[in-house]
């Protein structure tokens, strides 16, 4: 039994109620009382507060065959908006969602600079546009989460971003000086893992998500929380050495995993070998369709080294679910089965291995979801996913 002062207990009960309403979509007061094991009087008082705050709404079921039509409770998804931002090299993706994580507006801006001051100005300008445009709700924009493709400390300072060469930058503080909104900074792989947990794997407590695009990132959800390590830098699995003395990496080591099993390594090799400056997924898909032997061999090698790293991740963390986020794997026939065939150690244990069905949107959707979770002050969300 939970003990503590009345305000603390009320906060816990409120969290239970909000989370259950979101998970069920629609639920009556009576069913809610049973589901969260709280008295009807407690439910009535909490629901009255949430209705007054416009966080939930009531709907009467029209088609109900027996007795009185029950009044159903659901989250008021139009009460506010969450803004997710993926701050990547060469482009910034903005997605605004409602309080159920459904995107209502998305923008991608190409960026031709790595200068921090210019990037900061661009962010401020775009955020102010969103803030001005979406004021037609009770709470407006409830929070902003920015995904960083690099090291983010526990106090949300950007320690290092390899491709932009940013070091020890306090983007959160710089933005909050100009914008009166809640700002959160988070590693991109963590947000991908969060999106998988929130939108797809609602009953999974321990989840790993490996992103394979510009490098290799590892997002880790352990007991429904981010696993960050001592300073917040855990998850840099791309710089695990899989080939001692191998290809040199920007981190200073040789033979890092991401030099062999990231999509950028494939694109870089084929772009140089075939003299194609702006290589696309379409090029590679056509080569797959044509049965191009060199590309087939390259993908087999990609999967071989990917499997080595995954085997290490599985043995270290024993995840329930392991999600791979890669467009190349989605395109390549039998990719998942080939990976599974390489994971044949008798001591490697996991329940499910799969390729992400959310894909490249997972980072920015995870950012929206984290902003919603912080606003609603619940320990975990289960949101519906719509393609």
């Amino acid at each position: 039994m939970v003990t503590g002062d009345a305000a603390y207990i009320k906060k816990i009960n409120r969290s239970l109620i909000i989370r259950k309403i979101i998970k069920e979509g629609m639920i009556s007061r009576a069913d809610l009382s049973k589901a969260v094991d709280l008295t009807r009087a407690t439910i009535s008082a909490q629901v009255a507060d949430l209705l007054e705050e416009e966080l939930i709404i009531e709907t009467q079921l029209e088609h109900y065959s027996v007795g009185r039509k029950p009044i159903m409770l659901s989250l008021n998804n139009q009460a506010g908006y969450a803004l997710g931002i993926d701050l990547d090299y060469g482009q910034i993706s903005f997605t605004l969602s409602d309080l159920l994580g459904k995107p209502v507006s998305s923008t991608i801006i190409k960026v031709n600079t790595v200068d921090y001051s210019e990037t900061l100005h661009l962010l401020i300008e775009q955020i102010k546009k969103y803030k001005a445009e979406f004021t037609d709700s009770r709470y407006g924009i409830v929070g902003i989460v920015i995904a960083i493709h690099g090291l983010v400390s526990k106090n949300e300072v950007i320690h290092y971003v390899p491709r932009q060469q940013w070091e020890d930058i306090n983007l959160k503080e710089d933005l909050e000086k100009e914008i009166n909104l809640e700002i959160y900074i988070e590693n991109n792989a963590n947000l991908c893992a969060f999106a998988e947990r929130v939108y797809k794997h609602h009953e999974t407590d321990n989840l790993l998500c490996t992103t394979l695009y510009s490098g290799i990132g590892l997002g880790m959800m352990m007991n429904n929380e981010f696993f960050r390590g001592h300073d917040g830098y855990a998850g840099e699995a791309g710089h695990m050495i899989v080939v001692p003395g191998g290809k040199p990496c920007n981190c200073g080591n040789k033979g890092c995993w991401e030099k062999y099993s990231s999509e950028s390594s494939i694109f870089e090799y084929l772009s140089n070998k075939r003299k194609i400056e702006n290589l696309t997924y379409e090029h590679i898909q056509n080569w797959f369709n044509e049965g191009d032997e060199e590309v087939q061999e390259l993908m087999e090698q990609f999967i071989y080294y990917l499997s080595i790293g995954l085997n290490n991740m599985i043995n270290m963390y024993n995840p329930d679910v392991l999600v791979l986020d890669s467009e190349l794997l989605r395109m390549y026939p039998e990719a998942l089965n080939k990976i599974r065939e390489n994971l044949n150690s008798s001591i490697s244990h996991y329940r499910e291995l799969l390729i992400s069905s959310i894909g490249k949107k997972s980072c920015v959707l995870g950012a929206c979801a984290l902003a919603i979770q912080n606003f609603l002050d619940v320990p975990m969300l289960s949101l519906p996913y719509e393609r």
Side-chain angles (χ1 to χ4, degrees):
M1 181 177 177
V2 176
T3 59
D5 63 38
Y8 177 66
I9 294 173
K10 183 177 181 180
K11 180 180 177 182
I12 291 174
N13 290 342
R14 175 189 173 95
S15 174
L16 286 171
I17 289 167
I18 291 174
R19 187 178 177 188
K20 193 64 182 178
I21 289 172
I22 293 173
K23 187 175 182 180
E24 295 300 321
M26 297 181 72
I27 190 169
S28 68
R29 286 172 172 78
D31 288 339
L32 184 58
S33 176
K34 294 174 187 175
V36 297
D37 196 23
L38 293 172
T39 66
R40 293 198 176 196
T42 299
I43 294 294
S44 293
Q46 289 273 3
V47 165
D49 287 344
L50 292 170
L51 286 169
E52 185 177 351
E53 294 168 29
E54 297 181 29
L55 282 177
I56 63 172
I57 54 175
E58 293 179 311
T59 307
Q60 190 169 50
L61 283 186
E62 292 300 323
H63 305 289
Y64 195 72
S65 57
V66 180
R68 290 177 56 191
K69 297 174 183 177
I71 303 296
M72 307 298 285
L73 306 171
S74 58
L75 187 78
N76 180 8
N77 62 314
Q78 303 299 318
Y81 304 96
L83 181 58
I85 302 174
D86 183 5
L87 182 52
D88 202 353
Y89 178 80
Q91 69 176 40
I92 307 176
S93 303
F94 299 82
T95 290
L96 195 85
S97 79
D98 64 20
L99 292 186
L100 284 176
K102 181 180 179 181
V104 296
S105 176
S106 293
T107 305
I108 296 177
I109 296 177
K110 297 297 180 182
V111 179
N112 298 317
T113 181
V114 295
D115 181 77
Y116 174 68
S117 297
E118 291 181 43
T119 305
L120 176 64
H121 177 74
L122 194 156
L123 284 170
I124 291 169
E125 185 179 57
Q126 195 65 25
I127 290 169
K128 284 183 175 179
K129 285 182 182 177
Y130 273 106
K131 188 178 178 182
E133 185 177 354
F134 291 90
T135 57
D136 60 337
S137 64
R138 170 74 181 262
Y139 296 99
I141 295 178
V142 302
I144 300 169
V145 175
I146 302 177
I148 302 298
H149 293 244
L151 300 177
V152 178
S153 68
K154 285 184 176 179
N155 61 358
E156 299 180 70
V157 171
I158 300 171
H159 178 61
Y160 181 57
V161 182
R163 299 191 75 178
Q164 280 99 325
Q165 291 294 301
W166 293 350
E167 292 187 59
D168 298 323
I169 285 173
N170 200 331
L171 176 61
K172 177 185 175 76
E173 184 178 286
D174 291 342
L175 283 174
E176 288 179 343
K177 287 176 185 175
E178 299 289 333
I179 299 164
N180 186 28
L181 290 170
E182 290 285 347
I183 308 283
Y184 305 92
I185 310 295
E186 187 55 79
N187 171 265
N188 69 301
N190 278 348
L191 291 172
C192 291
F194 191 69
E196 294 290 342
R197 170 62 182 83
V198 167
Y199 287 98
K200 302 293 289 187
H201 303 281
H202 297 161
E203 306 304 323
T204 301
D205 293 333
N206 298 297
L207 180 147
L208 300 184
C209 180
T210 305
T211 60
L212 305 174
Y213 297 112
S214 57
I216 295 183
L218 182 70
M220 297 179 281
M221 298 291 300
M222 298 294 175
N223 296 319
N224 287 330
E225 295 184 354
F226 293 126
F227 179 82
R228 301 181 185 277
H230 177 66
D231 293 312
Y233 307 147
E236 289 301 310
H239 298 287
M240 168 179 59
I241 294 172
V242 296
V243 182
K247 299 175 184 177
C249 180
N250 292 336
C251 76
N253 281 325
K254 293 181 179 179
C256 289
W257 190 23
E258 67 178 40
K259 300 305 292 183
Y260 297 84
S261 292
S262 64
E263 292 194 355
S264 58
S265 67
I266 298 285
F267 273 77
E268 183 181 355
Y269 176 84
L270 288 172
S271 180
N272 291 334
K273 185 73 182 296
R274 305 201 172 186
K275 311 297 183 190
I276 301 175
E277 187 174 342
N278 296 311
L279 189 71
T280 66
Y281 287 109
E282 188 177 359
H283 286 109
I284 297 178
Q285 182 67 73
N286 289 336
W287 293 329
F288 286 160
N289 296 341
E290 294 164 4
D292 188 298
E293 288 189 14
E294 182 185 31
V295 177
Q296 298 278 0
E297 287 179 13
L298 195 61
M299 279 302 298
E300 293 296 322
Q301 186 181 60
F302 175 87
I303 286 172
Y304 169 73
Y305 284 112
L306 177 60
S307 302
I308 291 174
L310 293 178
N311 184 72
N312 293 340
M313 294 299 100
I314 291 166
N315 285 332
M316 279 193 285
Y317 297 108
N318 183 212
D320 187 17
V321 172
L322 178 55
V323 182
L324 309 177
D325 193 358
S326 163
E327 190 64 31
L328 288 181
L329 291 181
R330 278 186 283 274
M331 291 162 51
Y332 192 59
E334 294 297 302
L336 205 53
N337 287 335
K338 291 175 184 289
I339 294 169
R340 289 194 185 107
E341 288 170 5
N342 291 330
L343 302 177
N344 50 22
S345 169
S346 60
I347 62 170
S348 293
H349 294 285
Y350 61 93
R351 179 173 63 82
E352 191 174 7
L353 172 71
L354 66 157
I355 297 171
S356 173
S357 59
I358 303 177
K360 284 193 170 184
K361 296 181 293 183
S362 63
C363 179
V364 74
L365 286 179
C368 290
L370 186 59
I372 294 167
Q373 178 178 286
N374 291 334
F375 169 67
L376 295 177
D377 196 16
V378 294
M380 183 48 69
L381 290 170
S382 295
L383 299 176
Y385 177 63
E386 298 180 16
R387 287 183 177 277

